[in-house]
Amino acid sequence: MSLAVRVIPCLDVDAGRVVKGINFKELRDAGDPVELARTYDAEGADELTFLDISASHEGRATTLEIVSATAEQVFIPLTVGGGIRSVEDVDRMLRAGADKIAVNTAALDRPDLIAEIADRFGNQVLVLSVDARRCVGEARTDSGFEVTTHGGRRSAGVDAIAWAARAAELGAGEILLNAMDADGTTDGFDLELIRAVRAEVTIPVIASGGAGAPEHFAPAVDAGADAVLAATVFHFGTLRIGEVKDALAAAGMPVR
């Protein structure tokens, strides 16, 4: 029996509120994070992911408060990301009630951070968030996919597939694979991207970006995802957690 496929709602938090846009632009308010978290827990979400997208100092203090408030309300694993730059940042978030920490830009800037976090806290707490897109313009990588930063607006000049593989070697416990081309489009997950990463890593891959209908989730798992993550469709009631699990189960996939 393979492990159950995890269904994970993602809360993009800006100044204490959940927001969502398309391709990380045109953000609109989607509600109170603690309320949404409580709802998703009740609906059967397997985990929750919080991404603080206003990673200023003020944002960080707000996030710690929200993480604490959420951790008191829900009993499923909570992953927190956004502005995590050091082992000390990780320690603070874990003390506030997070179960796992997602790192992105700081790990690109200094890959040793991955090993430092894994050595201190264990690789099960470390999720590497990769914002990947197909290469555009003059940029070229071996895989045809590149890592972006700043919400997909800037190329990091790094091959996304090679970066995922390197992070796994350095001690990342999971890869949160954000398909920037698909983000917010609701046209389905980027299956080619998922397959490319799955071919290079053995750690769990969380597929993110593009979910729009119940039938979009099973193909992502077939392509190699161990978990599926969505935001907009859950926040605005387009889809319910239960519908996604029913669709996965109907496709013969184990769900909790």
Side-chain angles (χ1 to χ4, degrees):
M1 172 74 177
S2 56
L3 288 172
V5 177
R6 290 168 288 148
V7 178
I8 307 173
C10 180
L11 307 177
D12 293 309
V13 179
D14 183 12
R17 298 289 290 179
V18 176
V19 295
K20 199 55 200 157
I22 295 176
N23 300 121
F24 284 73
K25 295 192 260 309
E26 297 161 42
L27 299 178
R28 53 186 175 150
D29 190 281
D32 174 64
V34 181
E35 284 298 315
L36 277 169
R38 197 186 292 131
T39 301
Y40 293 140
D41 188 16
E43 284 188 4
D46 297 302
E47 295 186 14
L48 274 174
T49 294
F50 260 76
L51 298 177
D52 181 336
I53 62 171
S54 57
S56 64
H57 177 65
E58 299 80 25
R60 192 66 47 254
T62 308
T63 301
L64 281 167
E65 284 169 31
I66 295 168
V67 168
S68 299
T70 303
E72 286 167 16
Q73 297 283 343
V74 305
F75 304 97
I76 50 179
L78 186 58
T79 300
V80 180
I84 306 282
R85 308 212 149 270
S86 65
V87 167
E88 290 72 37
D89 288 342
V90 173
D91 191 53
R92 269 195 291 279
M93 285 299 174
L94 294 175
R95 285 175 190 277
D99 298 284
K100 304 183 204 178
I101 302 301
V103 293
N104 189 333
T105 314
L108 273 170
D109 293 343
R110 197 170 67 80
D112 286 348
L113 179 63
I114 296 171
E116 287 165 15
I117 295 170
D119 288 347
R120 169 125 176 228
F121 303 103
N123 63 354
Q124 77 286 346
V125 308
L126 181 56
V127 179
L128 179 80
S129 182
V130 180
D131 294 340
R133 71 175 177 200
R134 282 166 183 73
C135 294
V136 290
E138 298 296 300
R140 283 290 165 263
T141 63
D142 289 345
S143 70
F145 290 99
E146 63 179 349
V147 177
T148 66
T149 59
H150 301 80
R153 289 188 292 279
R154 213 174 283 179
S155 171
V158 173
D159 186 310
I161 312 306
W163 171 233
R166 183 173 177 209
E169 283 168 15
L170 285 168
E174 293 187 277
I175 303 287
L176 170 51
L177 186 60
N178 305 304
M180 305 312 290
D181 297 320
D183 177 70
T185 62
T186 66
D187 293 332
F189 291 94
D190 191 329
L191 305 180
E192 187 189 353
L193 175 61
I194 297 167
R195 283 190 202 102
V197 172
R198 172 44 70 218
E200 297 298 326
V201 305
T202 55
I203 59 176
V205 173
I206 304 164
S208 166
E215 59 270 19
H216 287 157
F217 292 86
V221 179
D222 278 332
D226 300 272
V228 283
L229 178 145
T232 312
V233 288
F234 291 143
H235 303 337
F236 295 107
T238 314
L239 292 179
R240 291 259 180 265
I241 307 284
E243 284 179 88
V244 172
K245 290 195 170 187
D246 288 347
L248 287 167
M253 289 159 185
V255 290
R256 288 198 184 96

